[in-house]
Amino acid sequence: MFVFGDSVFDPGNNNFLNISVTQGKANFPPYGETFFHYPTGRFCDGRIIPDFTASFAGLPLWRPYLDPANHNLLVGANFASGGACVLVENNPYTLNLPIQLGFFKEVVNLLTQQLGESDTKQLLREAIYISSLGGVDYMTFASSSSNVTESEMQEYVNIVIGNITNATMEIYKLGGRKFAFQSVGPLGCVPKTKAEFNSTGECVEFLQILATMHNNALAKVAEELEIRLSGFKYLMFDFFTSLMDRANNPEKYGFKVGDNACCGGGAYHAQTACGWLTEEYELCSDPSKFVFWDALHPTEYCYSQLAQLLWNGTGNVTWPLNMKQLYDLDIDAEISSQDIDLISDA
């Protein structure tokens, strides 16, 4: 399993970057308190979706790819980075998509040295490539743009999607066949955006529209790639609806609070950051009763529910396959000359 993404998937890669806390770190208490009992760099009180999916697949919990300790690359790698953008200019400080893709190419070379070309190709065919990207790009766009037209929004979405498509094609060319795409979350309904843009408690429509545009376009691209490319298989996981429904109807899923974050201060516990020593914040006594851990990210208990949906959910939340079905799928090894033509024409 190879993991690409932003803070939703970051296991602590940002710990190893020369950046400040304000630029994107979660390596301080109370982060990590629920499961690990120490801050790992995950933007959560415990485990995140890639941890749960790894466990379901019989793989160990993720260590950051940037961790200098030895890695068992035979089980994959996690390149995700809090604040990571698809478009490089949106955040120069963390591991954007091109950097993550470069790390993946490093891994392919290391595996080839370790296993030989044939076994590496087989490993890459059988691996799953899971990604959660684009949210930071749209948050950046929203904070720097006002009174944009729908066509300008669509143009921006097309640029983001185009870059994700190109990265997906790069992975395909290197041998990847199984892709798990997680949709962008309900950006307009998280505590941070409610506190910043709309104190009445309603979701911020502008960000919701952007996220929906992205998710629809990503699903369409994935479907087109499956038609065009031999052996290309994918799933789309509706993180957007699954999380938003929990935020709007917390009691239905065993939560008590769906709007305020467990950790933070001010309106929705989202105006003051969680755990920074220089700021005051409040911490709830039981994170499992909250949908959101901090201003932007769900709690471990919420992630556990979402990961279960991703792994073996039905077609209303993950389609055309769930992750277990994708994981168990046997991919034909051969790439015909027609496929090579398709790749070169793309």
Side-chain angles (χ1 to χ4, degrees):
M1 199 176 295
F2 294 96
V3 184
F4 303 82
D6 50 30
S7 57
V8 177
F9 280 5
D10 184 0
N13 276 307
N14 283 12
N15 295 352
F16 302 93
L17 298 179
N18 185 24
I19 59 175
S20 68
V21 167
T22 55
Q23 291 166 331
K25 286 190 176 182
N27 58 344
F28 47 85
Y31 284 93
E33 66 167 29
T34 297
F35 179 80
F36 300 99
H37 307 299
Y38 68 94
T40 63
R42 288 165 173 80
F43 292 79
C44 184
D45 60 304
R47 291 163 292 182
I48 53 179
I49 286 176
D51 292 319
F52 288 107
T53 55
S55 295
F56 298 152
L59 304 175
L61 298 182
W62 294 107
R63 290 197 0 249
Y65 178 69
L66 292 184
D67 188 332
N70 288 333
H71 289 267
N72 178 12
L73 297 175
L74 298 178
V75 301
N78 187 328
F79 313 111
S81 170
C85 291
V86 174
L87 307 182
V88 176
E89 60 270 20
N90 283 337
N91 187 349
Y93 305 109
T94 61
L95 308 179
N96 55 55
L97 178 55
I99 292 174
Q100 293 184 34
L101 188 60
F103 287 152
F104 171 65
K105 292 176 180 178
E106 285 181 8
V107 169
V108 172
N109 290 333
L110 291 168
L111 286 169
T112 303
Q113 294 170 25
Q114 182 178 350
L115 301 176
E117 193 167 334
S118 177
D119 286 350
T120 298
K121 285 184 177 178
Q122 183 180 4
L123 183 152
L124 295 174
R125 278 196 305 272
E126 295 174 351
I128 286 180
Y129 303 84
I130 181 169
S131 59
S132 171
L133 291 157
V136 184
D137 295 276
Y138 298 117
M139 297 285 265
T140 304
F141 181 71
S143 65
S144 61
S145 306
S146 59
N147 300 321
V148 293
T149 64
E150 189 170 332
S151 63
E152 288 171 329
M153 292 164 66
Q154 189 63 63
E155 182 181 358
Y156 187 80
V157 169
N158 291 344
I159 294 169
V160 173
I161 292 292
N163 280 268
I164 292 175
T165 305
N166 292 339
T168 303
M169 292 293 295
E170 286 286 311
I171 296 169
Y172 181 87
K173 290 177 187 179
L174 290 164
R177 293 295 179 269
K178 301 179 183 182
F179 294 84
F181 299 104
Q182 178 168 297
S183 74
V184 164
L187 304 177
C189 296
V190 299
K192 178 179 174 63
T193 51
K194 283 185 177 182
E196 284 186 4
F197 294 100
N198 198 339
S199 60
T200 63
E202 299 297 318
C203 294
V204 181
E205 186 180 6
F206 171 52
L207 275 165
Q208 291 292 88
I209 292 171
L210 271 173
T212 301
M213 282 180 166
H214 171 92
N215 295 338
N216 291 342
L218 184 61
K220 184 178 179 182
V221 163
E223 187 177 358
E224 290 171 350
L225 289 176
E226 184 175 51
I227 293 169
R228 292 172 54 205
L229 302 175
S230 175
F232 183 98
K233 297 296 178 183
Y234 77 96
L235 69 81
M236 276 296 308
F237 172 50
D238 191 357
F239 182 67
F240 178 97
T241 304
S242 301
L243 179 55
M244 187 168 66
D245 196 31
R246 282 160 175 78
N248 291 339
N249 306 288
E251 295 85 1
K252 179 180 173 183
Y253 299 97
F255 302 99
K256 287 186 176 179
V257 182
D259 48 5
N260 285 13
C262 167
C263 184
Y268 305 104
H269 284 175
Q271 290 178 309
T272 302
C274 170
W276 294 357
L277 297 176
T278 56
E279 299 191 46
E280 293 182 4
Y281 68 96
E282 297 176 16
L283 179 65
C284 71
S285 59
D286 186 356
S288 71
K289 300 301 182 186
F290 284 68
V291 172
F292 290 100
W293 162 249
D294 64 12
L296 286 168
H297 308 100
T299 57
E300 180 189 77
Y301 184 55
C302 184
Y303 275 142
S304 72
Q305 293 186 7
L306 299 176
Q308 196 71 52
L309 291 176
L310 168 60
W311 184 254
N312 58 16
T314 55
N316 61 323
V317 289
T318 172
W319 67 87
L321 304 166
N322 60 39
M323 197 156 176
K324 186 178 189 305
Q325 292 167 333
L326 187 65
Y327 188 78
D328 292 338
L329 200 63
D330 185 19
I331 297 291
D332 182 9
E334 296 302 316
I335 301 177
S336 69
S337 58
Q338 180 185 6
D339 302 325
I340 294 170
D341 291 339
L342 283 170
I343 295 171
S344 62
D345 291 340

